[in-house]
Amino acid sequence: MTTKSPDEIKSAVRATYTQVAQGASCCGPSCGAPMDTGAVSIGRIGYAPERVGAIPAAVLESNAGCGNPLAHARPKAGETVLDLGSGGGLDCFLAAQEVGPQGRVIGLDMTDAMLQKAEENRRKLGLAQVEFRKGEMEAMPVESGAVDIIISNCVINLSPDKAAVFRESFRVLRPGGRFVVSDVVKTGEGGEGSMEEWCACIAGALTPEDYLGGLRAAGFEEAEIVERKPYIAQGHESNIIRAVKPR
Ligand SMILES: C[S@@+](CC[C@H](N)C(=O)[O-])C[C@H]1O[C@@H](n2cnc3c(N)ncnc32)[C@H](O)[C@@H]1O
């Protein structure tokens, strides 16, 4: 496990995803850790081509997800969705189609280059119900109880303080609200070490047991893994994790 401080981790993560917004597909000066990014991985991680057909190429190029949380979250018309670490905005734009003009989608991210790219594409798509907000998921700039569904795609593993992310997720959801995220989890040996591996979504991954335990400790019920897929890093999987805030 890396010995860097939380601030050092966050600044390395920000630097990495600034480069991903500019087209990079691996992490570190010597490309120490490959990442499964870009338009080529879209089908493999679970998006049907007809669902992403209307999404601008620039958004697909910045894709750095590891699954399709919306396939399980199934937002309804009029709901409010919060996407933690929204990146280029793909899941926000797809969620906007589901919640419709009466619904609301908030994309939260801490990296300016990603926020700028997402906002440019939001304007091109004319989606008034989508808003991108700058902030950190450990201290979300979001009102308590304001959100119906939290989604996230390959982001929570990057946090140096997962307990804070789970606590904040619980706070911003309304009673009965759903938490449905895609994330990398650790299921075997490998990828414990470098900062490059942390930024490539490997070294910070929790085991499935610790993920579910962390959600329960924050107050969530019905915490479960609903989908498991292989991930490019040895000893890791991409999982969809779901939990509910009690009514
Ligand atoms: C692996 S990318 C995933 C982006 C997007 N969800 C996707 O599927 O393409 C991680 C994103 O999370 C953001 N991020 C990482 N840590 C964060 C934090 N603590 N708070 C807010 N955003 C964060 C990064 O800036 C980056 O845009």
Side-chain angles (χ1 to χ4, degrees):
M1 188 65 77
T2 180
T3 53
K4 303 282 187 194
S5 71
D7 283 350
E8 286 171 316
I9 291 175
K10 285 220 174 130
S11 83
V13 167
R14 245 187 228 107
T16 297
Y17 289 97
T18 298
Q19 289 176 340
V20 172
Q22 293 160 354
S25 61
C26 63
C27 188
S30 58
C31 204
M35 301 196 295
D36 198 18
T37 57
V40 287
S41 71
I42 293 277
R44 186 170 58 247
I45 64 177
Y47 295 90
E50 63 275 15
R51 288 283 288 128
V52 296
I55 303 292
V59 175
L60 303 182
E61 279 158 19
S62 294
N63 160 56
C66 54
N68 179 359
L70 288 168
H72 293 271
R74 298 174 179 274
K76 297 194 233 358
E79 285 194 314
T80 296
V81 176
L82 170 64
D83 182 10
L84 306 181
S86 42
L90 174 61
D91 289 319
C92 292
F93 301 142
L94 295 175
Q97 295 170 0
E98 304 194 30
V99 301
Q102 308 309 321
R104 205 168 155 220
V105 181
I106 304 165
L108 177 70
D109 207 287
M110 66 174 188
T111 303
D112 288 325
M114 283 295 194
L115 288 162
Q116 279 160 17
K117 194 162 189 180
E119 175 57 16
E120 265 167 40
N121 285 295
R122 184 198 70 76
R123 268 194 248 115
K124 278 188 204 148
L125 289 163
L127 291 169
Q129 70 270 47
V130 179
E131 174 200 348
F132 291 103
R133 239 177 240 189
K134 183 167 180 173
E136 298 189 4
M137 60 185 167
E138 296 82 358
M140 300 180 196
V142 178
E143 204 185 313
S144 301
V147 172
D148 296 297
I149 311 178
I150 287 182
I151 59 167
S152 182
N153 202 343
C154 220
V155 178
I156 294 173
N157 70 81
L158 294 167
S159 174
D161 187 355
K162 275 106 173 148
V165 178
F166 296 147
R167 217 169 34 238
E168 279 289 88
S169 297
F170 192 85
R171 178 184 68 76
V172 303
L173 279 171
R174 65 159 169 80
R178 293 103 80 198
F179 173 96
V180 187
V181 307
S182 168
D183 209 354
V184 176
V185 295
K186 183 170 172 59
T187 51
E189 295 302 313
E192 282 85 8
S194 68
M195 192 58 122
E196 279 87 356
E197 287 174 318
W198 189 290
C199 294
C201 298
I202 301 166
L206 295 174
T207 63
E209 297 72 31
D210 286 347
Y211 218 114
L212 299 179
L215 287 166
R216 290 180 190 122
F220 283 98
E221 288 180 346
E222 300 174 39
E224 58 178 338
I225 309 288
V226 292
E227 187 184 310
R228 297 175 58 183
K229 280 200 175 117
Y231 189 63
I232 53 166
Q234 192 193 347
H236 291 72
E237 286 180 1
S238 154
N239 285 184
I240 305 274
I241 300 122
R242 179 189 166 278
V244 178
K245 177 168 172 171
R247 284 181 191 278

PDB file of all heavy atoms in Angstrom, residues 10 13 17 62-65 85-87 91 109-111 114 135-138 153-155 158 201, ligand 1:
ATOM      1  N   LYS A  10      -4.426  12.741  -3.529  1.00  0.00           N
ATOM      2  CA  LYS A  10      -5.407  13.520  -4.309  1.00  0.00           C
ATOM      3  C   LYS A  10      -4.724  14.322  -5.404  1.00  0.00           C
ATOM      4  O   LYS A  10      -5.248  14.432  -6.511  1.00  0.00           O
ATOM      5  CB  LYS A  10      -6.170  14.471  -3.393  1.00  0.00           C
ATOM      6  CG  LYS A  10      -7.187  13.716  -2.568  1.00  0.00           C
ATOM      7  CD  LYS A  10      -8.472  14.480  -2.442  1.00  0.00           C
ATOM      8  CE  LYS A  10      -9.478  13.604  -1.741  1.00  0.00           C
ATOM      9  NZ  LYS A  10     -10.120  14.264  -0.633  1.00  0.00           N
ATOM     10  N   VAL A  13      -3.877  11.987  -8.202  1.00  0.00           N
ATOM     11  CA  VAL A  13      -5.110  11.565  -8.908  1.00  0.00           C
ATOM     12  C   VAL A  13      -5.583  12.698  -9.828  1.00  0.00           C
ATOM     13  O   VAL A  13      -5.917  12.472 -10.994  1.00  0.00           O
ATOM     14  CB  VAL A  13      -6.210  11.163  -7.886  1.00  0.00           C
ATOM     15  CG1 VAL A  13      -7.571  11.028  -8.560  1.00  0.00           C
ATOM     16  CG2 VAL A  13      -5.828   9.858  -7.187  1.00  0.00           C
ATOM     17  N   TYR A  17      -5.954  12.495 -13.955  1.00  0.00           N
ATOM     18  CA  TYR A  17      -7.211  12.641 -14.697  1.00  0.00           C
ATOM     19  C   TYR A  17      -7.258  13.940 -15.505  1.00  0.00           C
ATOM     20  O   TYR A  17      -8.072  14.058 -16.420  1.00  0.00           O
ATOM     21  CB  TYR A  17      -8.417  12.387 -13.770  1.00  0.00           C
ATOM     22  CG  TYR A  17      -8.406  10.899 -13.480  1.00  0.00           C
ATOM     23  CD1 TYR A  17      -7.835  10.396 -12.318  1.00  0.00           C
ATOM     24  CD2 TYR A  17      -8.807   9.999 -14.457  1.00  0.00           C
ATOM     25  CE1 TYR A  17      -7.709   9.024 -12.113  1.00  0.00           C
ATOM     26  CE2 TYR A  17      -8.683   8.636 -14.268  1.00  0.00           C
ATOM     27  CZ  TYR A  17      -8.141   8.147 -13.105  1.00  0.00           C
ATOM     28  OH  TYR A  17      -8.000   6.794 -12.930  1.00  0.00           O
ATOM     29  N   SER A  62     -12.955  10.289 -23.183  1.00  0.00           N
ATOM     30  CA  SER A  62     -12.542  10.501 -21.782  1.00  0.00           C
ATOM     31  C   SER A  62     -13.095   9.441 -20.844  1.00  0.00           C
ATOM     32  O   SER A  62     -12.901   9.524 -19.639  1.00  0.00           O
ATOM     33  CB  SER A  62     -13.043  11.858 -21.278  1.00  0.00           C
ATOM     34  OG  SER A  62     -12.401  12.862 -21.976  1.00  0.00           O
ATOM     35  N   ASN A  63     -13.813   8.471 -21.381  1.00  0.00           N
ATOM     36  CA  ASN A  63     -14.368   7.420 -20.521  1.00  0.00           C
ATOM     37  C   ASN A  63     -13.255   6.739 -19.726  1.00  0.00           C
ATOM     38  O   ASN A  63     -12.254   6.310 -20.286  1.00  0.00           O
ATOM     39  CB  ASN A  63     -15.085   6.389 -21.403  1.00  0.00           C
ATOM     40  CG  ASN A  63     -15.244   5.063 -20.694  1.00  0.00           C
ATOM     41  OD1 ASN A  63     -15.799   5.007 -19.609  1.00  0.00           O
ATOM     42  ND2 ASN A  63     -14.720   4.010 -21.300  1.00  0.00           N
ATOM     43  N   ALA A  64     -13.460   6.664 -18.422  1.00  0.00           N
ATOM     44  CA  ALA A  64     -12.506   5.935 -17.569  1.00  0.00           C
ATOM     45  C   ALA A  64     -13.292   5.092 -16.573  1.00  0.00           C
ATOM     46  O   ALA A  64     -12.880   4.892 -15.435  1.00  0.00           O
ATOM     47  CB  ALA A  64     -11.577   6.915 -16.864  1.00  0.00           C
ATOM     48  N   GLY A  65     -14.456   4.605 -17.025  1.00  0.00           N
ATOM     49  CA  GLY A  65     -15.299   3.794 -16.152  1.00  0.00           C
ATOM     50  C   GLY A  65     -14.900   2.326 -16.205  1.00  0.00           C
ATOM     51  O   GLY A  65     -14.054   1.919 -16.998  1.00  0.00           O
ATOM     52  N   GLY A  85     -17.517  11.704  -9.073  1.00  0.00           N
ATOM     53  CA  GLY A  85     -16.376  11.583  -9.981  1.00  0.00           C
ATOM     54  C   GLY A  85     -16.869  11.439 -11.409  1.00  0.00           C
ATOM     55  O   GLY A  85     -16.585  10.461 -12.103  1.00  0.00           O
ATOM     56  N   SER A  86     -17.595  12.459 -11.879  1.00  0.00           N
ATOM     57  CA  SER A  86     -18.332  12.350 -13.150  1.00  0.00           C
ATOM     58  C   SER A  86     -17.442  12.389 -14.383  1.00  0.00           C
ATOM     59  O   SER A  86     -17.891  12.066 -15.482  1.00  0.00           O
ATOM     60  CB  SER A  86     -19.383  13.455 -13.225  1.00  0.00           C
ATOM     61  OG  SER A  86     -18.862  14.681 -12.754  1.00  0.00           O
ATOM     62  N   GLY A  87     -16.173  12.773 -14.257  1.00  0.00           N
ATOM     63  CA  GLY A  87     -15.239  12.725 -15.387  1.00  0.00           C
ATOM     64  C   GLY A  87     -15.770  13.478 -16.587  1.00  0.00           C
ATOM     65  O   GLY A  87     -16.245  14.622 -16.488  1.00  0.00           O
ATOM     66  N   ASP A  91     -21.935   9.154 -17.860  1.00  0.00           N
ATOM     67  CA  ASP A  91     -23.067   8.627 -17.081  1.00  0.00           C
ATOM     68  C   ASP A  91     -24.092   9.721 -16.762  1.00  0.00           C
ATOM     69  O   ASP A  91     -25.285   9.437 -16.652  1.00  0.00           O
ATOM     70  CB  ASP A  91     -22.564   7.960 -15.790  1.00  0.00           C
ATOM     71  CG  ASP A  91     -21.848   6.642 -16.085  1.00  0.00           C
ATOM     72  OD1 ASP A  91     -22.330   5.884 -16.947  1.00  0.00           O
ATOM     73  OD2 ASP A  91     -20.799   6.375 -15.468  1.00  0.00           O
ATOM     74  N   ASP A 109     -17.022  16.462  -9.461  1.00  0.00           N
ATOM     75  CA  ASP A 109     -15.649  16.055  -9.772  1.00  0.00           C
ATOM     76  C   ASP A 109     -14.689  17.097  -9.201  1.00  0.00           C
ATOM     77  O   ASP A 109     -15.045  18.259  -9.025  1.00  0.00           O
ATOM     78  CB  ASP A 109     -15.438  15.906 -11.287  1.00  0.00           C
ATOM     79  CG  ASP A 109     -14.331  14.904 -11.620  1.00  0.00           C
ATOM     80  OD1 ASP A 109     -13.145  15.238 -11.406  1.00  0.00           O
ATOM     81  OD2 ASP A 109     -14.643  13.787 -12.076  1.00  0.00           O
ATOM     82  N   MET A 110     -13.451  16.672  -8.923  1.00  0.00           N
ATOM     83  CA  MET A 110     -12.469  17.606  -8.336  1.00  0.00           C
ATOM     84  C   MET A 110     -11.426  18.070  -9.356  1.00  0.00           C
ATOM     85  O   MET A 110     -10.539  18.835  -9.001  1.00  0.00           O
ATOM     86  CB  MET A 110     -11.768  16.944  -7.146  1.00  0.00           C
ATOM     87  CG  MET A 110     -10.900  15.771  -7.524  1.00  0.00           C
ATOM     88  SD  MET A 110      -9.986  15.195  -6.090  1.00  0.00           S
ATOM     89  CE  MET A 110      -8.882  14.003  -6.869  1.00  0.00           C
ATOM     90  N   THR A 111     -11.521  17.605 -10.626  1.00  0.00           N
ATOM     91  CA  THR A 111     -10.480  17.907 -11.614  1.00  0.00           C
ATOM     92  C   THR A 111     -11.007  18.902 -12.649  1.00  0.00           C
ATOM     93  O   THR A 111     -11.948  18.595 -13.397  1.00  0.00           O
ATOM     94  CB  THR A 111     -10.006  16.606 -12.299  1.00  0.00           C
ATOM     95  OG1 THR A 111      -9.539  15.721 -11.285  1.00  0.00           O
ATOM     96  CG2 THR A 111      -8.904  16.864 -13.310  1.00  0.00           C
ATOM     97  N   MET A 114     -11.532  17.870 -16.398  1.00  0.00           N
ATOM     98  CA  MET A 114     -12.710  17.012 -16.615  1.00  0.00           C
ATOM     99  C   MET A 114     -13.995  17.845 -16.545  1.00  0.00           C
ATOM    100  O   MET A 114     -14.891  17.696 -17.387  1.00  0.00           O
ATOM    101  CB  MET A 114     -12.770  15.895 -15.559  1.00  0.00           C
ATOM    102  CG  MET A 114     -11.820  14.753 -15.800  1.00  0.00           C
ATOM    103  SD  MET A 114     -12.234  13.843 -17.329  1.00  0.00           S
ATOM    104  CE  MET A 114     -11.230  12.364 -17.107  1.00  0.00           C
ATOM    105  N   GLY A 135     -15.938  19.686  -6.582  1.00  0.00           N
ATOM    106  CA  GLY A 135     -15.871  19.346  -5.165  1.00  0.00           C
ATOM    107  C   GLY A 135     -15.312  17.957  -4.971  1.00  0.00           C
ATOM    108  O   GLY A 135     -15.016  17.253  -5.937  1.00  0.00           O
ATOM    109  N   GLU A 136     -15.157  17.597  -3.709  1.00  0.00           N
ATOM    110  CA  GLU A 136     -14.582  16.298  -3.364  1.00  0.00           C
ATOM    111  C   GLU A 136     -15.657  15.422  -2.732  1.00  0.00           C
ATOM    112  O   GLU A 136     -16.466  15.907  -1.938  1.00  0.00           O
ATOM    113  CB  GLU A 136     -13.392  16.500  -2.421  1.00  0.00           C
ATOM    114  CG  GLU A 136     -12.306  17.315  -3.090  1.00  0.00           C
ATOM    115  CD  GLU A 136     -11.008  17.390  -2.308  1.00  0.00           C
ATOM    116  OE1 GLU A 136     -10.897  16.738  -1.251  1.00  0.00           O
ATOM    117  OE2 GLU A 136     -10.103  18.098  -2.785  1.00  0.00           O
ATOM    118  N   MET A 137     -15.611  14.149  -3.067  1.00  0.00           N
ATOM    119  CA  MET A 137     -16.673  13.260  -2.588  1.00  0.00           C
ATOM    120  C   MET A 137     -16.556  12.949  -1.098  1.00  0.00           C
ATOM    121  O   MET A 137     -17.479  12.397  -0.506  1.00  0.00           O
ATOM    122  CB  MET A 137     -16.719  11.984  -3.427  1.00  0.00           C
ATOM    123  CG  MET A 137     -15.461  11.175  -3.406  1.00  0.00           C
ATOM    124  SD  MET A 137     -15.579   9.791  -4.544  1.00  0.00           S
ATOM    125  CE  MET A 137     -13.847   9.303  -4.586  1.00  0.00           C
ATOM    126  N   GLU A 138     -15.438  13.324  -0.481  1.00  0.00           N
ATOM    127  CA  GLU A 138     -15.297  13.137   0.965  1.00  0.00           C
ATOM    128  C   GLU A 138     -15.990  14.264   1.729  1.00  0.00           C
ATOM    129  O   GLU A 138     -16.171  14.175   2.948  1.00  0.00           O
ATOM    130  CB  GLU A 138     -13.808  13.094   1.355  1.00  0.00           C
ATOM    131  CG  GLU A 138     -13.029  11.925   0.786  1.00  0.00           C
ATOM    132  CD  GLU A 138     -12.555  12.156  -0.655  1.00  0.00           C
ATOM    133  OE1 GLU A 138     -12.854  13.222  -1.243  1.00  0.00           O
ATOM    134  OE2 GLU A 138     -11.889  11.253  -1.194  1.00  0.00           O
ATOM    135  N   ASN A 153     -18.625   5.689 -11.129  1.00  0.00           N
ATOM    136  CA  ASN A 153     -18.036   4.711 -12.037  1.00  0.00           C
ATOM    137  C   ASN A 153     -16.517   4.732 -11.950  1.00  0.00           C
ATOM    138  O   ASN A 153     -15.862   5.600 -12.527  1.00  0.00           O
ATOM    139  CB  ASN A 153     -18.516   5.003 -13.473  1.00  0.00           C
ATOM    140  CG  ASN A 153     -18.421   3.791 -14.369  1.00  0.00           C
ATOM    141  OD1 ASN A 153     -17.725   2.826 -14.047  1.00  0.00           O
ATOM    142  ND2 ASN A 153     -19.105   3.847 -15.499  1.00  0.00           N
ATOM    143  N   CYS A 154     -15.984   3.811 -11.161  1.00  0.00           N
ATOM    144  CA  CYS A 154     -14.535   3.623 -11.065  1.00  0.00           C
ATOM    145  C   CYS A 154     -13.857   4.802 -10.356  1.00  0.00           C
ATOM    146  O   CYS A 154     -12.823   5.279 -10.814  1.00  0.00           O
ATOM    147  CB  CYS A 154     -13.943   3.428 -12.459  1.00  0.00           C
ATOM    148  SG  CYS A 154     -12.653   2.179 -12.463  1.00  0.00           S
ATOM    149  N   VAL A 155     -14.421   5.255  -9.255  1.00  0.00           N
ATOM    150  CA  VAL A 155     -13.940   6.469  -8.588  1.00  0.00           C
ATOM    151  C   VAL A 155     -13.653   6.252  -7.100  1.00  0.00           C
ATOM    152  O   VAL A 155     -12.628   6.708  -6.594  1.00  0.00           O
ATOM    153  CB  VAL A 155     -14.980   7.612  -8.751  1.00  0.00           C
ATOM    154  CG1 VAL A 155     -14.523   8.864  -8.037  1.00  0.00           C
ATOM    155  CG2 VAL A 155     -15.248   7.898 -10.230  1.00  0.00           C
ATOM    156  N   LEU A 158     -10.350   5.441  -5.658  1.00  0.00           N
ATOM    157  CA  LEU A 158      -9.300   6.463  -5.692  1.00  0.00           C
ATOM    158  C   LEU A 158      -9.241   7.285  -4.407  1.00  0.00           C
ATOM    159  O   LEU A 158      -8.286   8.039  -4.201  1.00  0.00           O
ATOM    160  CB  LEU A 158      -9.540   7.421  -6.870  1.00  0.00           C
ATOM    161  CG  LEU A 158      -9.403   6.807  -8.269  1.00  0.00           C
ATOM    162  CD1 LEU A 158      -9.977   7.757  -9.321  1.00  0.00           C
ATOM    163  CD2 LEU A 158      -7.944   6.499  -8.580  1.00  0.00           C
ATOM    164  N   CYS A 201      -6.554   3.079 -10.459  1.00  0.00           N
ATOM    165  CA  CYS A 201      -7.721   2.406  -9.855  1.00  0.00           C
ATOM    166  C   CYS A 201      -7.417   1.005  -9.329  1.00  0.00           C
ATOM    167  O   CYS A 201      -8.315   0.160  -9.266  1.00  0.00           O
ATOM    168  CB  CYS A 201      -8.894   2.327 -10.840  1.00  0.00           C
ATOM    169  SG  CYS A 201      -9.488   3.941 -11.352  1.00  0.00           S
TER     170      CYS A 201
HETATM  171  C1  LIG B   1     -11.392   6.840 -13.224  1.00  0.00           C
HETATM  172  S1  LIG B   1     -12.082   8.424 -13.560  1.00  0.00           S
HETATM  173  C2  LIG B   1     -13.792   7.996 -13.843  1.00  0.00           C
HETATM  174  C3  LIG B   1     -14.557   9.093 -14.531  1.00  0.00           C
HETATM  175  C4  LIG B   1     -15.986   8.748 -14.922  1.00  0.00           C
HETATM  176  N1  LIG B   1     -16.753   8.316 -13.781  1.00  0.00           N
HETATM  177  C5  LIG B   1     -16.027   7.717 -16.033  1.00  0.00           C
HETATM  178  O1  LIG B   1     -16.697   6.689 -15.858  1.00  0.00           O
HETATM  179  O2  LIG B   1     -15.429   7.952 -17.072  1.00  0.00           O
HETATM  180  C6  LIG B   1     -12.088   9.144 -11.949  1.00  0.00           C
HETATM  181  C7  LIG B   1     -12.711  10.544 -11.861  1.00  0.00           C
HETATM  182  O3  LIG B   1     -12.998  10.805 -10.489  1.00  0.00           O
HETATM  183  C8  LIG B   1     -12.506  12.075 -10.131  1.00  0.00           C
HETATM  184  N2  LIG B   1     -12.143  11.995  -8.695  1.00  0.00           N
HETATM  185  C9  LIG B   1     -11.196  11.216  -8.145  1.00  0.00           C
HETATM  186  N3  LIG B   1     -11.153  11.361  -6.818  1.00  0.00           N
HETATM  187  C10 LIG B   1     -12.122  12.271  -6.516  1.00  0.00           C
HETATM  188  C11 LIG B   1     -12.588  12.849  -5.284  1.00  0.00           C
HETATM  189  N4  LIG B   1     -12.022  12.524  -4.123  1.00  0.00           N
HETATM  190  N5  LIG B   1     -13.617  13.729  -5.327  1.00  0.00           N
HETATM  191  C12 LIG B   1     -14.172  14.076  -6.533  1.00  0.00           C
HETATM  192  N6  LIG B   1     -13.766  13.580  -7.728  1.00  0.00           N
HETATM  193  C13 LIG B   1     -12.760  12.677  -7.719  1.00  0.00           C
HETATM  194  C14 LIG B   1     -11.327  12.317 -11.063  1.00  0.00           C
HETATM  195  O4  LIG B   1     -11.085  13.687 -11.200  1.00  0.00           O
HETATM  196  C15 LIG B   1     -11.798  11.655 -12.345  1.00  0.00           C
HETATM  197  O5  LIG B   1     -12.505  12.528 -13.168  1.00  0.00           O
END
